[in-house]
């Protein structure tokens, strides 16, 4: 779920529950969540995923299309 | 403030009794508690009975160790059998603890005299001790200012001589913050070292129990008593010459009140002049600390409070209720991201300590904020009080490293501020040895802070 979609849903829920004062608090949380998702350690996960993709590409380009490669690619996609 | 060490010497020399010192603490509570609001419950009769027992026991040949006969206050979030654990909240009206928390049992075994329970930020979920069913705790140095939090009553009780030590809890800085703004020592041991059973949780994965005291030596004595270890003396200080200290300037010194910065730099200069080797280092991912902390503490707290937020929401103070409600909206995927960040940060602090005996940084970027302030001026910017008060302490709750706050002398307006030493995980005693060595240089005075409690 994107942070924008989450924030809209959360504010709507808070209003439905009679807690309009939660809106600024939720906006603060949204900023913190944006920062959390932008953290370097999350980017590292993206990097490692990219490197898997790179190594997969490399393996595909440099070798025959063996059934083993095919299975490995599928599982990389799955885990991604 | 009389230290526990000083009391111990005079007690064993027959110059003073536990009853006399306990009576003096109770007199100060009677004189100042209406002004400071430090206590939610004063246990005068039981304290005097215990003090007389301690005196009688000692004269008949039994010495329980360094806390024998020492008056201590307890944050009202820790169970003492037979009395309410209010957590300074109306939510817990009618509660009476059925048994002592293990830390209380250890203190009783060590001969401590429990003088009462101290006020706090409701459910320990705040840094100012303003949002409390009992009203705001006032700072003894300036009653218009916060005593810090969440263990604000504990800090005020020690600073005002109402107890020789207090037991607080620390989930994002709640021992070290009141220690810094009230001018006491505050120790957060390694995560998991001291039992948190019988303590109302804020975050089970980041809660710590720790002492607030007048000196590092006293903090060591109380820390060992909390572990159930009745050793008779503090550890020997590390030699200053060759001590390896690291200052993480980036992030941790970026946002400091000018007077706090001046006190910090003066303390660093004194440490260097005394023979310590000071390196400047960087803790990577420091800007991620607050989001990581927030997503963990909010989720943990929301889980604990989910039922009462539905059944008795109006019994919470509005700010604490809102903060708890915020936690109910954290997404699982972000909680998991925060847990991953926690591991990264722990490794970063481990790496920073690999070649050093301790990290050195301010405890708080500011002095005690005025009661009621939502924001505070720091250098050239205005910052939310809660964010700025947690900024330098919360990392070590996330990572579990032991940290101690030591007063680094008052600002020109006479307000206390603190310096923080951080040690390796599971090496709290080693940190205390470093802190004992550094304390005279940090405070700028070469003798233990003395006092007049007990005459």
């Amino acid at each position: 779920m994107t942070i924008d979609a989450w924030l809209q849903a959360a504010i709507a829920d808070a209003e439905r529950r009679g807690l309009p004062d939660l809106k600024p608090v939720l906006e603060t949380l949204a900023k913190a969540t944006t920062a959390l998702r932008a953290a370097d350690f999350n980017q590292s996960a993206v990097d490692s995923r990219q490197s898997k993709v790179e190594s997969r590409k490399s393996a595909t380009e440099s070798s025959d299309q063996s059934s083993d490669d095919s299975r490995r690619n599928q599982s990389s996609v799955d885990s991604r | 403030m009389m230290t526990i060490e000083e009391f111990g010497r005079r007690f064993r020399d027959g110059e003073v009794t536990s009853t006399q010192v306990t009576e003096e603490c109770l007199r100060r509570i009677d004189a100042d508690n209406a002004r400071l609001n430090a206590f939610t419950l004063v246990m005068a009769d039981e304290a005097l009975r215990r003090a007389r027992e301690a005196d009688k026991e000692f004269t008949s040949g039994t010495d329980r160790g360094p806390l024998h006969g020492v008056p201590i206050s307890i944050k009202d979030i820790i169970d003492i059998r037979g009395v309410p654990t209010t957590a300074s909240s109306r939510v817990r009206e009618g509660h009476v603890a059925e048994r002592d928390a293990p830390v209380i049992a250890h203190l009783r075994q060590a001969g401590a005299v429990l003088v009462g329970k101290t006020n706090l930020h409701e459910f320990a979920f705040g840094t100012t001790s303003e949002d409390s069913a009992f009203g705001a705790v006032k700072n003894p140095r300036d009653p218009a200012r916060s005593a810090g939090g969440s263990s604000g009553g504990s800090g005020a009780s020690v600073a005002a001589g109402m107890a020789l030590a207090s037991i607080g809890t620390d989930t994002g800085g709640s021992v070290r913050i009141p220690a810094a703004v009230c001018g006491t020592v505050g120790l957060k041991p390694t995560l998991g070292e001291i039992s948190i059973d019988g303590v109302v949780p804020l975050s089970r994965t980041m809660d710590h129990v720790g002492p607030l005291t007048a000196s590092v030596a006293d903090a060591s004595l109380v820390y060992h008593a909390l572990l159930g270890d009745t050793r008779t003396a503090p550890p020997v200080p590390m030699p200053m010459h060759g001590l390896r200290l690291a200052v993480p300037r980036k992030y941790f010194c970026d946002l400091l009140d000018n007077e706090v910065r001046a006190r910090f730099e003066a303390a660093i200069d004194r440490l260097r002049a005394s023979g310590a080797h000071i390196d400047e280092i960087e803790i990577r991912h420091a800007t991620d600390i607050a989001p990581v902390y927030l997503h963990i503490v909010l989720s943990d707290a929301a889980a604990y409070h989910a039922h009462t937020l539905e059944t008795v929401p109006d019994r919470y103070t509005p700010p604490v209720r809102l903060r708890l409600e915020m936690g109910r909206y954290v997404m699982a995927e972000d909680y998991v991201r925060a847990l991953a960040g926690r591991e990264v940060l722990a490794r970063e602090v481990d790496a920073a300590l690999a070649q050093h005996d301790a990290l050195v940084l301010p405890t708080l970027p500011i002095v005690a904020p005025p009661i009621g302030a939502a924001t505070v001026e720091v250098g050239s910017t205005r910052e939310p009080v809660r964010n700025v008060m947690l900024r330098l302490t919360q990392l070590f709750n996330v990572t579990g490293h032991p940290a101690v706050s030591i007063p680094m002398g008052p600002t020109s307006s006479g307000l206390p501020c603190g310096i923080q030493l951080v040690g390796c995980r599971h090496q709290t005693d080693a940190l205390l040895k470093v802190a004992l060595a550094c304390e005279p240089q940090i405070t700028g005075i070469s003798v233990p802070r003395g006092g007049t409690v007990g005459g």
Side-chain angles (χ1 to χ4, degrees):
Chain A
M1 183 180 247
T2 67
I3 293 171
D4 282 347
W6 164 82
L7 182 58
Q8 284 180 19
I11 290 172
D13 183 68
E15 285 173 352
R16 181 187 60 74
R17 296 174 60 218
L19 293 168
D21 291 348
L22 263 179
K23 184 181 175 188
V25 177
L26 290 168
E27 288 168 345
T28 300
L29 177 58
K31 286 179 189 164
T33 305
T34 302
L36 181 68
R37 290 187 182 188
D40 278 356
F41 49 81
N42 291 319
Q43 287 176 342
S44 301
V46 173
D47 289 344
S48 66
R49 186 176 63 187
Q50 283 174 336
S51 55
K52 277 183 190 172
V53 172
E54 291 305 315
S55 64
R56 186 184 67 204
K57 277 183 186 171
S58 160
T60 306
E61 286 163 3
S62 64
S63 64
D64 296 333
Q65 298 290 320
S66 70
S67 57
D68 281 354
D69 283 341
S70 175
R71 277 201 298 276
R72 191 171 62 212
N73 290 339
Q74 281 178 340
S75 71
S76 292
V77 172
D78 290 345
S79 66
R80 196 172 59 182
Chain B
M1 289 184 280
M2 175 192 253
T3 66
I4 294 171
E5 276 195 313
E6 182 187 354
F7 166 77
R9 280 193 300 273
R10 296 178 63 188
F11 178 64
R12 285 166 184 81
D13 286 347
E15 292 175 17
V16 71
T17 65
S18 172
T19 304
Q20 287 171 327
V21 175
T22 301
E23 283 174 343
E24 177 63 13
C25 288
L26 292 170
R27 188 193 66 72
R28 291 190 179 199
I29 294 170
D30 196 42
D32 288 336
N33 194 47
R35 182 173 65 95
L36 300 177
N37 210 15
F39 282 81
T40 60
L41 175 71
V42 181
M43 298 160 58
D45 292 342
E46 183 183 337
L48 286 171
R49 184 171 57 77
R50 294 270 181 186
R52 290 186 197 109
E53 283 174 7
D55 288 333
K56 191 175 172 186
E57 211 174 33
F58 185 76
T59 52
S60 63
T62 301
D63 186 345
R64 290 174 180 261
L67 296 197
H68 190 123
V70 174
I72 291 181
S73 64
I74 308 294
K75 185 178 184 178
D76 194 4
I77 199 168
I78 302 173
D79 283 347
I80 297 179
R81 183 170 51 82
V83 302
T85 308
T86 71
S88 286
S89 179
R90 289 180 51 233
V91 169
R92 290 179 63 88
E93 274 175 4
H95 172 271
V96 175
E98 292 179 1
R99 59 185 67 83
D100 285 338
V103 290
I104 298 299
H106 287 150
L107 289 174
R108 289 194 198 278
Q109 187 62 32
V113 173
L114 310 184
V115 293
K117 303 198 79 177
T118 55
N119 199 356
L120 62 140
H121 207 114
E122 183 180 28
F123 282 112
F125 210 4
T127 57
T128 59
S129 301
E130 290 173 26
D131 299 319
S132 160
F134 298 90
V137 183
K138 314 287 174 58
N139 192 313
R141 306 299 176 99
D142 178 354
R145 291 178 182 268
S146 166
S150 63
S151 311
S154 289
S157 71
V158 176
M162 297 165 159
L164 269 54
S166 189
I167 310 303
T169 60
D170 189 318
T171 306
S174 288
V175 162
R176 291 160 288 157
I177 292 168
V181 301
C182 291
T184 76
V185 169
L187 171 68
K188 181 199 82 68
T190 300
L191 181 66
E193 258 184 313
I194 294 178
S195 170
I196 54 170
D197 288 348
V199 179
V200 177
L202 174 55
S203 163
R204 276 289 176 200
T205 72
M206 293 196 287
D207 291 340
H208 301 64
V209 171
L212 295 94
T213 56
S215 70
V216 172
D218 284 4
S220 175
L221 295 173
V222 179
Y223 159 69
H224 281 283
L226 293 171
L227 288 170
D229 164 15
T230 53
R231 72 175 53 191
T232 54
V236 177
M238 290 263 287
M240 276 304 293
H241 190 74
L243 201 63
R244 299 160 307 166
L245 303 175
V247 180
R249 287 203 182 272
K250 190 174 177 185
Y251 178 84
F252 297 94
C253 295
D254 288 350
L255 186 69
L256 296 180
D257 171 85
N258 292 337
E259 288 229 47
V260 172
R261 186 185 300 280
R263 296 301 310 169
F264 179 69
E265 297 301 343
I268 294 294
D269 287 346
R270 288 194 296 270
L271 289 167
R272 188 181 285 114
S274 303
H277 182 80
I278 313 271
D279 286 328
E280 296 198 5
I281 54 127
E282 179 181 350
I283 295 178
R284 292 171 59 231
H285 301 288
T287 54
D288 302 326
I289 295 166
V292 166
Y293 173 79
L294 189 68
H295 284 79
I296 296 172
V297 75
L298 287 178
S299 303
D300 289 353
Y304 179 73
H305 288 276
H307 177 68
T308 40
L309 284 169
E310 291 297 327
T311 55
V312 288
D314 295 336
R315 290 192 189 173
Y316 290 92
T317 61
V320 169
R321 180 188 175 192
L322 282 182
R323 212 168 293 141
L324 290 168
E325 284 284 358
M326 179 164 48
R328 305 178 84 186
Y329 291 90
V330 172
M331 280 186 277
E333 63 176 280
D334 295 316
Y335 183 75
V336 172
R337 285 188 179 97
L339 294 180
R342 184 176 197 175
E343 291 176 17
V344 169
L345 288 166
R347 286 197 297 270
E348 291 295 337
V349 177
D350 284 343
L353 282 161
Q355 304 297 325
H356 298 97
D357 296 303
L359 307 182
V360 188
L361 62 157
T363 308
L364 269 181
I366 56 171
V367 295
I371 288 174
T375 60
V376 63
E377 197 170 337
V378 189
S380 57
T381 64
R382 285 204 79 80
E383 299 288 332
V385 165
R386 178 179 161 78
N387 293 8
V388 81
M389 291 184 86
L390 287 168
R391 181 178 169 93
L392 307 181
T393 51
Q394 61 195 345
L395 171 61
F396 310 109
N397 297 82
V398 169
T399 67
H401 291 79
V404 59
S405 179
I406 301 172
M408 56 178 178
T411 62
S412 60
S413 51
L415 293 170
C417 51
I419 203 167
Q420 198 176 190
L421 299 179
V422 181
C424 294
R425 283 188 277 183
H426 309 294
Q427 294 185 33
T428 305
D429 256 331
L431 171 66
L432 287 166
K433 289 178 183 178
V434 173
L436 281 166
C438 295
E439 186 178 29
Q441 282 72 38
I442 290 171
T443 58
I445 48 177
S446 57
V447 293
R449 292 173 298 288
T452 56
V453 174

